[in-house]
Amino acid sequence: MSASKNFKAGFSPTVDCATLVVAVEKGFAADEGVTLELLKKNSTDELLAEWNRGALHGLHLSASLPVASALGLPVLPADLIAPFVLATGGATLVVSQSLHKDLVGEGMKIPDPATVARALARVALSRQTSDLARLVFAVEHHLSVSAFELRYLLASARLPADCEISFMPTFPANMPDLLENGQIDGFYVAEPYGSAAVLQGTARIVTTKSHIWQNAPEKVLAVSQDWSEAYPATLESLLRALYRAGEWCASSANYEELSDILSAADYLDMDRDLILPALTGYISHSPARMLECSSFFSTSGKAANFPWQSQALWFFSQMLRWKDCPPEFADDAKIYEAASQAFRPDIFRKAMRPIFAPVPTANLKVEGTLKAPVHVGASRSGLVLGPDAFFDGSIFDPEKIDTGDEN
Protein backbone atom coordinates (compact mmCIF):
# COMPACT_ATOMS: atom_id res chain seq x y z
CA MET A 1 0.00 0.00 0.00
CA SER A 2 1.27 3.46 -0.89
CA ALA A 3 1.90 6.22 1.60
CA SER A 4 -1.27 7.73 2.97
CA LYS A 5 -2.87 10.57 1.04
CA ASN A 6 -5.34 12.78 2.88
CA PHE A 7 -8.71 13.81 1.49
CA LYS A 8 -11.53 15.53 3.36
CA ALA A 9 -14.94 15.52 1.68
CA GLY A 10 -18.11 17.26 2.70
CA PHE A 11 -21.45 15.52 2.17
CA SER A 12 -25.12 16.08 2.86
CA PRO A 13 -27.37 13.28 4.17
CA THR A 14 -29.04 11.81 1.09
CA VAL A 15 -28.75 8.21 -0.10
CA ASP A 16 -26.33 9.17 -2.87
CA CYS A 17 -23.56 9.76 -0.32
CA ALA A 18 -23.38 5.95 -0.07
CA THR A 19 -20.28 5.55 -2.24
CA LEU A 20 -18.27 8.00 -0.13
CA VAL A 21 -19.47 6.42 3.11
CA VAL A 22 -18.69 2.88 1.98
CA ALA A 23 -15.25 3.92 0.74
CA VAL A 24 -14.51 4.77 4.38
CA GLU A 25 -16.48 2.12 6.24
CA LYS A 26 -15.48 -0.89 4.11
CA GLY A 27 -11.85 0.14 3.71
CA PHE A 28 -11.75 0.85 -0.03
CA ALA A 29 -10.11 4.24 0.50
CA ALA A 30 -7.54 2.75 2.88
CA ASP A 31 -6.77 0.01 0.35
CA GLU A 32 -5.83 2.74 -2.13
CA GLY A 33 -3.65 4.51 0.44
CA VAL A 34 -6.15 7.34 0.96
CA THR A 35 -7.09 8.66 4.39
CA LEU A 36 -10.65 9.74 3.60
CA GLU A 37 -12.42 11.92 6.17
CA LEU A 38 -16.09 12.82 5.79
CA LEU A 39 -17.79 15.94 7.14
CA LYS A 40 -21.59 15.97 7.29
CA LYS A 41 -23.52 19.16 6.55
CA ASN A 42 -27.27 19.62 6.28
CA SER A 43 -27.46 21.24 2.87
CA THR A 44 -25.70 22.36 -0.28
CA ASP A 45 -25.38 25.89 1.07
CA GLU A 46 -23.70 24.63 4.25
CA LEU A 47 -21.31 22.53 2.18
CA LEU A 48 -20.40 25.50 0.00
CA ALA A 49 -19.85 27.66 3.08
CA GLU A 50 -17.47 25.04 4.47
CA TRP A 51 -15.71 24.90 1.10
CA ASN A 52 -15.23 28.67 1.13
CA ARG A 53 -13.55 28.36 4.54
CA GLY A 54 -10.92 26.17 2.87
CA ALA A 55 -11.57 23.16 5.08
CA LEU A 56 -12.41 20.63 2.34
CA HIS A 57 -10.72 18.93 -0.61
CA GLY A 58 -13.94 17.74 -2.22
CA LEU A 59 -17.71 17.92 -2.16
CA HIS A 60 -20.65 15.55 -2.59
CA LEU A 61 -22.56 17.91 -4.85
CA SER A 62 -25.50 18.09 -7.22
CA ALA A 63 -24.21 17.28 -10.71
CA SER A 64 -25.33 20.61 -12.17
CA LEU A 65 -23.33 22.79 -9.77
CA PRO A 66 -19.84 22.28 -11.25
CA VAL A 67 -21.37 23.43 -14.56
CA ALA A 68 -22.81 26.52 -12.87
CA SER A 69 -19.37 27.09 -11.34
CA ALA A 70 -17.73 26.89 -14.77
CA LEU A 71 -20.14 29.55 -16.04
CA GLY A 72 -19.16 31.87 -13.20
CA LEU A 73 -22.67 32.05 -11.74
CA PRO A 74 -22.96 34.04 -8.51
CA VAL A 75 -22.54 32.62 -4.98
CA LEU A 76 -20.67 29.57 -6.23
CA PRO A 77 -16.98 28.80 -5.88
CA ALA A 78 -15.03 29.14 -9.09
CA ASP A 79 -13.17 26.34 -10.82
CA LEU A 80 -15.09 23.29 -9.59
CA ILE A 81 -14.82 20.16 -11.72
CA ALA A 82 -16.50 16.76 -11.53
CA PRO A 83 -14.27 13.78 -12.36
CA PHE A 84 -16.65 11.16 -10.93
CA VAL A 85 -20.42 10.61 -10.76
CA LEU A 86 -21.30 9.21 -7.33
CA ALA A 87 -24.82 8.09 -8.25
CA THR A 88 -27.52 8.19 -10.88
CA GLY A 89 -31.23 8.33 -10.11
CA GLY A 90 -32.43 8.07 -6.52
CA ALA A 91 -34.83 11.04 -6.29
CA THR A 92 -38.60 11.09 -5.80
CA LEU A 93 -41.27 13.68 -6.54
CA VAL A 94 -43.49 13.93 -3.48
CA VAL A 95 -46.78 15.78 -2.94
CA SER A 96 -49.08 16.36 0.00
CA GLN A 97 -52.14 14.19 0.54
CA SER A 98 -54.46 17.02 -0.46
CA LEU A 99 -52.53 17.86 -3.64
CA HIS A 100 -52.40 14.16 -4.51
CA LYS A 101 -56.19 14.04 -4.38
CA ASP A 102 -56.43 17.08 -6.66
CA LEU A 103 -53.94 15.61 -9.13
CA VAL A 104 -55.82 12.33 -9.33
CA GLY A 105 -58.95 14.35 -10.09
CA GLU A 106 -57.07 16.04 -12.94
CA GLY A 107 -56.10 12.76 -14.59
CA MET A 108 -52.70 11.93 -13.08
CA LYS A 109 -51.63 8.33 -13.69
CA ILE A 110 -48.82 7.37 -11.30
CA PRO A 111 -45.90 7.17 -12.05
CA ASP A 112 -46.25 8.59 -15.60
CA PRO A 113 -44.41 11.96 -15.56
CA ALA A 114 -46.39 13.41 -18.48
CA THR A 115 -49.71 12.97 -16.69
CA VAL A 116 -48.18 14.28 -13.45
CA ALA A 117 -47.04 17.43 -15.28
CA ARG A 118 -50.41 18.02 -16.97
CA ALA A 119 -52.30 17.51 -13.72
CA LEU A 120 -49.98 19.92 -11.88
CA ALA A 121 -50.52 22.50 -14.62
CA ARG A 122 -54.31 22.17 -14.33
CA VAL A 123 -54.22 22.51 -10.55
CA ALA A 124 -51.92 25.54 -10.84
CA LEU A 125 -54.28 27.17 -13.34
CA SER A 126 -57.27 26.41 -11.14
CA ARG A 127 -55.54 28.04 -8.21
CA GLN A 128 -54.80 31.12 -10.25
CA THR A 129 -58.42 31.33 -11.41
CA SER A 130 -59.63 30.97 -7.81
CA ASP A 131 -57.13 33.57 -6.58
CA LEU A 132 -55.40 31.03 -4.35
CA ALA A 133 -51.72 30.86 -3.42
CA ARG A 134 -49.29 29.30 -5.89
CA LEU A 135 -48.10 25.77 -5.42
CA VAL A 136 -44.71 25.62 -3.68
CA PHE A 137 -42.19 22.82 -4.19
CA ALA A 138 -38.97 22.40 -2.22
CA VAL A 139 -35.63 21.55 -3.86
CA GLU A 140 -32.18 21.38 -2.30
CA HIS A 141 -30.70 24.29 -4.28
CA HIS A 142 -32.03 26.63 -6.95
CA LEU A 143 -29.38 25.33 -9.38
CA SER A 144 -29.57 21.67 -8.36
CA VAL A 145 -30.31 18.79 -10.70
CA SER A 146 -33.70 18.41 -9.03
CA ALA A 147 -34.60 22.03 -9.81
CA PHE A 148 -33.76 21.64 -13.50
CA GLU A 149 -35.51 18.29 -13.86
CA LEU A 150 -38.62 19.61 -12.13
CA ARG A 151 -38.67 22.69 -14.37
CA TYR A 152 -38.21 20.41 -17.39
CA LEU A 153 -41.13 18.24 -16.25
CA LEU A 154 -43.46 21.18 -15.67
CA ALA A 155 -42.51 22.83 -18.96
CA SER A 156 -43.80 19.78 -20.84
CA ALA A 157 -47.32 20.80 -19.80
CA ARG A 158 -46.79 24.31 -21.25
CA LEU A 159 -47.84 26.06 -18.09
CA PRO A 160 -48.37 29.78 -18.85
CA ALA A 161 -45.57 32.06 -17.69
CA ASP A 162 -47.94 34.02 -15.43
CA CYS A 163 -49.05 30.85 -13.65
CA GLU A 164 -45.82 29.66 -12.13
CA ILE A 165 -45.11 27.08 -9.48
CA SER A 166 -42.73 28.44 -6.86
CA PHE A 167 -39.54 26.68 -5.76
CA MET A 168 -38.16 26.85 -2.23
CA PRO A 169 -34.51 25.79 -1.66
CA THR A 170 -34.17 24.09 1.73
CA PHE A 171 -32.47 21.28 3.65
CA PRO A 172 -33.54 17.84 2.35
CA ALA A 173 -34.13 16.55 5.88
CA ASN A 174 -36.56 19.44 6.57
CA MET A 175 -38.79 18.70 3.59
CA PRO A 176 -41.12 16.09 5.16
CA ASP A 177 -41.88 18.38 8.12
CA LEU A 178 -42.46 21.40 5.84
CA LEU A 179 -44.90 19.30 3.85
CA GLU A 180 -46.70 18.02 6.94
CA ASN A 181 -47.01 21.57 8.27
CA GLY A 182 -48.47 22.87 5.01
CA GLN A 183 -45.57 25.20 4.22
CA ILE A 184 -44.92 23.46 0.91
CA ASP A 185 -47.10 21.40 -1.43
CA GLY A 186 -44.39 18.97 -2.50
CA PHE A 187 -40.70 18.35 -2.94
CA TYR A 188 -38.27 16.72 -5.33
CA VAL A 189 -35.09 15.40 -3.76
CA ALA A 190 -32.94 12.32 -3.33
CA GLU A 191 -34.17 9.62 -0.99
CA PRO A 192 -34.88 8.69 1.77
CA TYR A 193 -37.05 11.74 2.46
CA GLY A 194 -39.83 10.84 0.05
CA SER A 195 -40.16 7.39 1.59
CA ALA A 196 -40.09 8.93 5.07
CA ALA A 197 -42.94 11.33 4.26
CA VAL A 198 -45.03 8.58 2.65
CA LEU A 199 -44.60 6.11 5.48
CA GLN A 200 -45.46 8.85 7.99
CA GLY A 201 -48.80 9.05 6.18
CA THR A 202 -48.44 12.70 5.14
CA ALA A 203 -47.51 12.40 1.46
CA ARG A 204 -47.55 10.44 -1.78
CA ILE A 205 -44.74 9.75 -4.25
CA VAL A 206 -46.11 10.51 -7.71
CA THR A 207 -43.08 9.83 -9.92
CA THR A 208 -39.33 9.38 -9.73
CA LYS A 209 -36.16 10.68 -11.32
CA SER A 210 -35.73 7.36 -13.11
CA HIS A 211 -39.07 7.97 -14.85
CA ILE A 212 -38.22 11.56 -15.82
CA TRP A 213 -34.71 10.92 -17.22
CA GLN A 214 -33.41 7.38 -17.06
CA ASN A 215 -29.97 6.80 -15.52
CA ALA A 216 -29.35 10.53 -15.19
CA PRO A 217 -26.61 11.85 -12.89
CA GLU A 218 -27.64 13.06 -9.45
CA LYS A 219 -24.54 13.67 -7.33
CA VAL A 220 -20.87 14.01 -8.26
CA LEU A 221 -17.58 14.29 -6.47
CA ALA A 222 -16.49 17.89 -7.04
CA VAL A 223 -12.94 19.15 -6.54
CA SER A 224 -11.14 22.29 -7.63
CA GLN A 225 -9.24 22.30 -10.91
CA ASP A 226 -6.15 23.64 -9.15
CA TRP A 227 -6.22 20.89 -6.51
CA SER A 228 -6.69 18.18 -9.15
CA GLU A 229 -3.57 19.40 -10.95
CA ALA A 230 -1.54 19.69 -7.74
CA TYR A 231 -2.46 16.24 -6.36
CA PRO A 232 -3.31 13.97 -9.30
CA ALA A 233 -2.12 10.77 -7.61
CA THR A 234 -4.35 11.35 -4.57
CA LEU A 235 -7.35 12.08 -6.77
CA GLU A 236 -6.80 9.03 -8.97
CA SER A 237 -6.43 6.77 -5.94
CA LEU A 238 -9.62 8.19 -4.45
CA LEU A 239 -11.55 7.63 -7.69
CA ARG A 240 -10.48 4.00 -7.78
CA ALA A 241 -11.64 3.61 -4.18
CA LEU A 242 -14.98 5.19 -5.02
CA TYR A 243 -15.39 2.96 -8.08
CA ARG A 244 -14.88 -0.16 -5.96
CA ALA A 245 -17.16 1.20 -3.24
CA GLY A 246 -19.83 1.83 -5.87
CA GLU A 247 -19.59 -1.78 -7.01
CA TRP A 248 -20.05 -2.93 -3.41
CA CYS A 249 -23.07 -0.66 -2.94
CA ALA A 250 -24.67 -1.94 -6.15
CA SER A 251 -24.63 -5.60 -5.08
CA SER A 252 -28.01 -6.73 -3.77
CA ALA A 253 -26.16 -9.00 -1.33
CA ASN A 254 -25.00 -5.84 0.48
CA TYR A 255 -28.27 -3.87 0.65
CA GLU A 256 -29.07 -4.84 4.23
CA GLU A 257 -25.59 -3.99 5.48
CA LEU A 258 -25.50 -0.77 3.45
CA SER A 259 -28.81 0.40 4.90
CA ASP A 260 -27.43 -0.29 8.38
CA ILE A 261 -24.26 1.70 7.64
CA LEU A 262 -26.15 4.66 6.20
CA SER A 263 -28.67 4.72 9.04
CA ALA A 264 -25.98 5.71 11.57
CA ALA A 265 -26.10 9.14 13.18
CA ASP A 266 -22.89 10.18 11.42
CA TYR A 267 -24.56 9.66 8.05
CA LEU A 268 -28.32 9.72 7.32
CA ASP A 269 -29.43 9.29 10.96
CA MET A 270 -32.61 7.54 9.88
CA ASP A 271 -34.33 4.18 10.30
CA ARG A 272 -32.77 1.61 7.97
CA ASP A 273 -36.24 0.61 6.72
CA LEU A 274 -36.62 4.07 5.19
CA ILE A 275 -33.30 3.70 3.35
CA LEU A 276 -33.87 0.21 1.89
CA PRO A 277 -36.50 1.27 -0.71
CA ALA A 278 -33.97 3.39 -2.61
CA LEU A 279 -31.52 0.49 -2.70
CA THR A 280 -34.03 -2.14 -3.81
CA GLY A 281 -36.07 0.03 -6.19
CA TYR A 282 -39.33 -0.87 -4.44
CA ILE A 283 -40.68 2.58 -3.68
CA SER A 284 -43.80 3.14 -1.56
CA HIS A 285 -46.22 5.35 -3.48
CA SER A 286 -48.46 5.13 -0.42
CA PRO A 287 -48.32 3.10 2.81
CA ALA A 288 -50.28 0.38 1.03
CA ARG A 289 -48.88 0.46 -2.53
CA MET A 290 -45.41 0.06 -3.98
CA LEU A 291 -43.89 1.10 -7.28
CA GLU A 292 -41.30 -1.25 -8.74
CA CYS A 293 -38.69 1.05 -10.27
CA SER A 294 -35.92 -0.68 -12.18
CA SER A 295 -32.65 1.28 -12.17
CA PHE A 296 -34.12 3.63 -9.57
CA PHE A 297 -30.70 4.26 -8.02
CA SER A 298 -27.29 3.20 -9.26
CA THR A 299 -23.74 3.54 -8.02
CA SER A 300 -22.13 1.19 -10.57
CA GLY A 301 -22.66 -0.41 -13.97
CA LYS A 302 -23.74 1.06 -17.32
CA ALA A 303 -21.03 3.70 -16.94
CA ALA A 304 -22.90 5.12 -13.94
CA ASN A 305 -19.73 6.79 -12.62
CA PHE A 306 -18.59 8.24 -15.95
CA PRO A 307 -18.81 12.06 -16.18
CA TRP A 308 -20.39 12.46 -19.64
CA GLN A 309 -19.72 15.93 -20.98
CA SER A 310 -23.00 15.74 -22.90
CA GLN A 311 -24.81 15.66 -19.55
CA ALA A 312 -22.86 18.70 -18.37
CA LEU A 313 -24.00 20.44 -21.55
CA TRP A 314 -27.62 19.44 -20.93
CA PHE A 315 -27.42 21.30 -17.61
CA PHE A 316 -25.88 24.24 -19.48
CA SER A 317 -28.80 24.19 -21.93
CA GLN A 318 -31.27 24.31 -19.03
CA MET A 319 -29.42 27.22 -17.42
CA LEU A 320 -29.81 29.06 -20.71
CA ARG A 321 -33.44 28.05 -21.02
CA TRP A 322 -34.38 29.34 -17.58
CA LYS A 323 -32.17 32.43 -17.83
CA ASP A 324 -29.88 31.42 -14.99
CA CYS A 325 -27.01 32.63 -17.16
CA PRO A 326 -26.80 35.42 -19.77
CA PRO A 327 -28.40 34.56 -23.15
CA GLU A 328 -25.25 35.55 -25.03
CA PHE A 329 -23.55 32.49 -23.49
CA ALA A 330 -25.44 30.40 -26.06
CA ASP A 331 -23.17 31.60 -28.88
CA ASP A 332 -19.90 31.77 -26.94
CA ALA A 333 -17.51 28.95 -27.87
CA LYS A 334 -15.38 29.56 -24.79
CA ILE A 335 -18.39 29.26 -22.50
CA TYR A 336 -19.50 26.07 -24.27
CA GLU A 337 -16.04 24.61 -23.73
CA ALA A 338 -16.00 25.68 -20.08
CA ALA A 339 -19.37 24.04 -19.48
CA SER A 340 -18.28 20.77 -21.08
CA GLN A 341 -14.97 20.80 -19.17
CA ALA A 342 -16.84 20.97 -15.86
CA PHE A 343 -17.08 17.18 -16.26
CA ARG A 344 -13.69 15.48 -16.63
CA PRO A 345 -13.78 12.07 -18.33
CA ASP A 346 -10.03 12.33 -18.98
CA ILE A 347 -9.28 12.23 -15.25
CA PHE A 348 -11.73 9.36 -14.76
CA ARG A 349 -10.12 7.31 -17.55
CA LYS A 350 -6.61 7.78 -16.21
CA ALA A 351 -7.70 6.75 -12.71
CA MET A 352 -9.39 3.57 -13.94
CA ARG A 353 -6.50 2.22 -16.04
CA PRO A 354 -4.79 0.29 -13.23
CA ILE A 355 -7.97 -1.64 -12.36
CA PHE A 356 -8.99 -2.42 -15.96
CA ALA A 357 -12.46 -0.95 -15.53
CA PRO A 358 -14.41 -0.63 -18.80
CA VAL A 359 -14.65 3.06 -19.70
CA PRO A 360 -16.42 4.73 -22.66
CA THR A 361 -14.08 5.88 -25.42
CA ALA A 362 -16.23 8.93 -26.21
CA ASN A 363 -16.67 12.01 -24.02
CA LEU A 364 -20.16 12.88 -25.27
CA LYS A 365 -23.22 11.06 -26.51
CA VAL A 366 -26.57 12.12 -27.87
CA GLU A 367 -28.75 11.99 -24.75
CA GLY A 368 -32.16 10.36 -24.90
CA THR A 369 -31.58 7.94 -27.78
CA LEU A 370 -31.13 4.75 -25.77
CA LYS A 371 -34.48 3.15 -25.02
CA ALA A 372 -32.89 -0.10 -23.86
CA PRO A 373 -29.42 -1.22 -22.74
CA VAL A 374 -26.88 -1.36 -25.58
CA HIS A 375 -23.31 -2.64 -25.91
CA VAL A 376 -20.77 0.03 -26.90
CA GLY A 377 -17.03 0.41 -27.34
CA ALA A 378 -14.96 0.78 -24.22
CA SER A 379 -11.31 1.19 -23.28
CA ARG A 380 -10.87 -2.37 -21.96
CA SER A 381 -13.81 -4.55 -22.87
CA GLY A 382 -17.46 -4.44 -23.80
CA LEU A 383 -19.58 -1.95 -21.91
CA VAL A 384 -23.36 -1.71 -21.59
CA LEU A 385 -24.96 1.75 -21.60
CA GLY A 386 -28.45 3.04 -21.11
CA PRO A 387 -31.25 3.42 -21.27
CA ASP A 388 -31.02 7.22 -21.10
CA ALA A 389 -34.48 8.24 -22.33
CA PHE A 390 -36.30 11.41 -21.33
CA PHE A 391 -39.94 10.86 -20.40
CA ASP A 392 -41.18 13.03 -23.28
CA GLY A 393 -39.08 11.29 -25.94
CA SER A 394 -36.89 14.33 -26.57
CA ILE A 395 -33.32 14.07 -27.82
CA PHE A 396 -30.44 16.27 -26.68
CA ASP A 397 -27.59 16.67 -29.15
CA PRO A 398 -24.71 18.33 -27.25
CA GLU A 399 -23.35 19.78 -30.50
CA LYS A 400 -26.64 21.53 -31.28
CA ILE A 401 -27.79 23.14 -28.08
CA ASP A 402 -31.46 24.09 -28.24
CA THR A 403 -32.83 25.55 -25.04
CA GLY A 404 -36.37 24.52 -25.92
CA ASP A 405 -37.65 27.80 -24.56
CA GLU A 406 -41.00 28.53 -26.11
CA ASN A 407 -42.35 30.83 -23.41
Side-chain angles (χ1 to χ4, degrees):
M1 186 172 71
S2 62
S4 180
K5 306 155 190 167
N6 298 319
F7 191 93
K8 187 173 183 179
F11 76 97
S12 55
T14 49
V15 72
D16 39 44
C17 73
T19 304
L20 281 164
V21 170
V22 165
V24 173
E25 295 290 340
K26 299 299 291 183
F28 293 104
D31 286 348
E32 290 288 342
V34 177
T35 302
L36 176 58
E37 180 184 353
L38 300 181
L39 177 67
K40 177 180 174 180
K41 291 293 177 180
N42 290 318
S43 68
T44 299
D45 285 340
E46 286 191 359
L47 285 175
L48 294 175
E50 195 71 23
W51 178 268
N52 289 334
R53 283 192 283 270
L56 300 173
H57 301 110
L59 294 164
H60 159 245
L61 209 58
S62 190
S64 52
L65 290 178
V67 181
S69 166
L71 302 182
L73 299 193
V75 201
L76 284 173
D79 211 24
L80 289 177
I81 59 168
F84 191 93
V85 175
L86 293 166
T88 64
T92 51
L93 179 58
V94 182
V95 300
S96 67
Q97 294 272 32
S98 60
L99 179 54
H100 173 263
K101 181 178 179 180
D102 291 343
L103 295 175
V104 170
E106 294 292 350
M108 176 180 67
K109 304 295 182 186
I110 295 170
D112 177 19
T115 67
V116 172
R118 289 194 293 269
L120 279 167
R122 290 172 187 140
V123 170
L125 283 166
S126 175
R127 288 196 172 206
Q128 182 192 48
T129 302
S130 303
D131 218 15
L132 298 174
R134 288 178 174 178
L135 293 171
V136 177
F137 278 79
V139 293
E140 63 180 328
H141 189 275
H142 75 285
L143 294 173
S144 65
V145 170
S146 54
F148 290 118
E149 289 176 348
L150 188 50
R151 286 173 174 175
Y152 182 84
L153 176 71
L154 294 170
S156 72
R158 303 188 185 281
L159 191 65
D162 63 348
C163 184
E164 295 177 356
I165 292 174
S166 297
F167 288 13
M168 175 195 291
T170 191
F171 297 2
N174 285 356
M175 294 180 187
D177 286 343
L178 292 172
L179 190 71
E180 184 176 12
N181 296 335
Q183 294 172 262
I184 59 175
D185 299 287
F187 59 84
Y188 185 39
V189 78
E191 281 284 275
Y193 302 105
S195 290
V198 167
L199 296 177
Q200 288 168 4
T202 60
R204 293 287 186 267
I205 289 173
V206 294
T207 194
T208 76
K209 178 182 176 78
S210 60
H211 288 91
I212 295 170
W213 182 10
Q214 292 178 285
N215 293 301
E218 178 62 24
K219 293 297 196 311
V220 296
L221 175 73
V223 298
S224 76
Q225 172 71 27
D226 286 347
W227 186 89
S228 73
E229 292 173 354
Y231 301 97
T234 300
L235 180 56
E236 290 162 22
S237 296
L238 176 64
L239 298 194
R240 286 191 291 273
L242 293 175
Y243 185 87
R244 288 173 165 143
E247 290 182 313
W248 189 93
C249 292
S251 171
S252 59
N254 298 325
Y255 289 167
E256 295 279 349
E257 184 180 356
L258 177 55
S259 62
D260 282 336
I261 291 171
L262 291 175
S263 69
D266 287 344
Y267 302 126
L268 269 59
D269 193 18
M270 187 171 283
D271 191 307
R272 65 186 295 277
D273 290 339
L274 297 177
I275 298 167
L276 268 172
L279 307 181
T280 63
Y282 288 92
I283 307 299
S284 294
H285 150 62
S286 71
R289 180 188 168 198
M290 281 191 172
L291 303 172
E292 183 177 355
C293 305
S294 62
S295 301
F296 172 78
F297 172 68
S298 181
T299 59
S300 183
K302 299 177 184 174
N305 308 124
F306 189 72
W308 289 102
Q309 291 183 331
S310 47
Q311 294 173 346
L313 290 166
W314 186 82
F315 296 126
F316 174 43
S317 77
Q318 297 304 298
M319 291 172 196
L320 284 167
R321 179 180 191 177
W322 303 110
K323 301 177 175 57
D324 294 307
C325 61
E328 57 267 26
F329 279 13
D331 301 313
D332 190 323
K334 289 184 179 179
I335 293 292
Y336 176 95
E337 180 67 11
S340 66
Q341 287 295 316
F343 280 22
R344 294 297 300 275
D346 57 321
I347 296 175
F348 182 89
R349 282 196 192 93
K350 187 178 178 185
M352 295 302 116
R353 281 178 197 144
I355 59 173
F356 302 98
V359 178
T361 54
N363 291 339
L364 306 94
K365 60 187 173 75
V366 178
E367 300 288 336
T369 60
L370 303 179
K371 311 302 181 187
V374 62
H375 288 269
V376 298
S379 59
R380 296 288 183 182
S381 60
L383 177 69
V384 176
L385 295 185
D388 65 359
F390 295 94
F391 77 94
D392 57 357
S394 68
I395 303 295
F396 175 72
D397 184 341
E399 296 183 355
K400 301 175 183 176
I401 290 185
D402 177 3
T403 64
D405 186 5
E406 299 179 7
N407 293 328

